[in-house]
Amino acid sequence: MLVTREREQAKSFSAKLKEQGALPVEVPLIQTSLPQQIDETVLAHWNEYDWIVFTSQNGVKYFFELAGSLPEEKRPKVAAVGEKTAQALQKKWGPIDLVPDEFVAESLAEAMKQHVQKGERILLVKGNLARETLRNELQSFAQVTDFIVYETSINKAAKEELIRLLEKKELDVITFTSSSTVRNFMELLDGCPLDQWLKDVAIACIGPITKQTAHELGMRVDICPHTYTIDGMIEAMNDYFK
């Protein structure tokens, strides 16, 4: 079972897979780092916003690397787009003001309409490849400032191992946990006989956005959970193979 997510996050995913009797193979297709340029003005005044919105665990990680901590009485309200992002944020911040029931950007924007006063200022913490959907939705009722706290890039060193695993038919499932992992997989293997290599391999995507990216790039998807989390993904894979 191929785990394609970033190396640091792959460990917990692999541990859960092993608990289910699977044999995970980690080949990270993305790597993240602090941006080469940081908006110092935003960094100096982040606590002056009414809301801070976090869309990923990496956003939480790199935000606190840059911003440090702040006394509780001076903190803005915070929202997180998903369960794992919320858990990471809670460890750093404490109680969270808003987490949507469905873990996608569209649901967060809809939920925030009920809690944000018109014209309030929102700091949107994100990576350089984040979709514009959430920003566009939030701008309809608030003032939104982007704060790019990390950059995502392709792990080119993964290509050789990917080809080896696929040529030797050592994989039963390939898991994709973000659109970036799908795009990088297709870019690294451009020109390879993917139709042949993937014929007997199940493709699992963590949620509808990742699934949509896979379809747009010509890849079929066999598994996609109703709950867009790692646990939901593992449950859906169990159901598929039963």
Side-chain angles (χ1 to χ4, degrees):
M1 186 171 292
L2 185 66
V3 176
T4 59
R5 70 189 324 199
E6 185 189 14
R7 190 174 305 279
E8 186 174 325
Q9 295 180 352
K11 293 174 183 175
S12 60
F13 188 12
S14 293
K16 289 177 181 287
L17 290 171
K18 288 176 182 176
E19 289 174 2
Q20 299 295 317
L23 298 174
V25 179
E26 295 180 14
V27 182
L29 301 186
I30 62 174
Q31 49 196 13
T32 59
S33 60
L34 287 167
Q36 294 183 6
Q37 291 187 321
I38 297 164
D39 190 327
E40 297 291 347
T41 301
V42 172
L43 184 59
H45 299 281
W46 65 266
N47 58 302
E48 297 173 12
Y49 287 81
D50 299 294
W51 284 84
I52 304 178
V53 174
F54 293 88
T55 60
S56 68
Q57 294 177 69
N58 278 326
V60 174
K61 171 188 172 183
Y62 287 106
F63 176 85
F64 284 97
E65 279 190 28
L66 291 169
S69 59
L70 192 74
E72 191 169 335
E73 64 272 12
K74 295 183 180 180
R75 294 176 179 176
K77 295 178 181 178
V78 290
V81 81
E83 180 182 21
K84 294 300 182 182
T85 303
Q87 289 174 1
L89 180 57
Q90 197 163 19
K91 290 177 183 177
K92 296 282 189 180
W93 189 275
I96 298 169
D97 298 282
L98 184 61
V99 182
D101 294 330
E102 195 173 357
F103 304 151
V104 291
E106 290 82 351
S107 294
L108 178 59
E110 191 60 34
M112 290 196 74
K113 283 182 183 178
Q114 314 303 319
H115 294 81
V116 176
Q117 301 297 316
K118 190 169 181 63
E120 281 193 323
R121 300 174 67 214
I122 295 175
L123 184 63
L124 182 55
V125 176
K126 59 199 292 188
N128 63 317
L129 300 182
R131 295 189 304 142
E132 291 298 316
T133 304
L134 180 56
R135 185 185 208 285
N136 294 339
E137 292 284 340
L138 294 175
Q139 276 189 317
S140 67
F141 57 87
Q143 299 179 51
V144 182
T145 300
D146 288 339
F147 188 26
I148 296 176
V149 298
Y150 69 97
E151 294 178 347
T152 301
S153 58
I154 189 169
N155 178 21
K156 294 182 178 179
K159 181 173 182 175
E160 185 177 339
E161 180 65 0
L162 274 182
I163 291 175
R164 187 191 70 79
L165 290 166
L166 290 166
E167 279 186 331
K168 295 192 173 184
K169 300 187 183 301
E170 295 186 10
L171 300 172
D172 299 300
V173 188
I174 298 175
T175 64
F176 294 107
T177 53
S178 67
S179 290
S180 293
T181 56
V182 177
R183 284 192 290 265
N184 291 355
F185 180 87
M186 297 300 284
E187 181 177 337
L188 288 169
L189 298 178
D190 185 36
C192 295
L194 284 180
D195 287 345
Q196 177 186 334
W197 287 353
L198 299 180
K199 183 174 61 174
D200 299 316
V201 180
I203 305 298
C205 290
I206 197 168
I209 304 303
T210 305
K211 179 180 179 179
Q212 179 183 339
T213 301
H215 283 164
E216 288 172 354
L217 294 176
M219 185 189 298
R220 77 174 197 284
V221 175
D222 304 293
I223 303 163
C224 187
H226 297 295
T227 303
Y228 317 142
T229 63
I230 290 297
D231 290 337
M233 194 179 192
I234 291 173
E235 183 179 348
M237 287 192 286
N238 277 334
D239 291 342
Y240 177 84
F241 284 105
K242 284 177 183 175

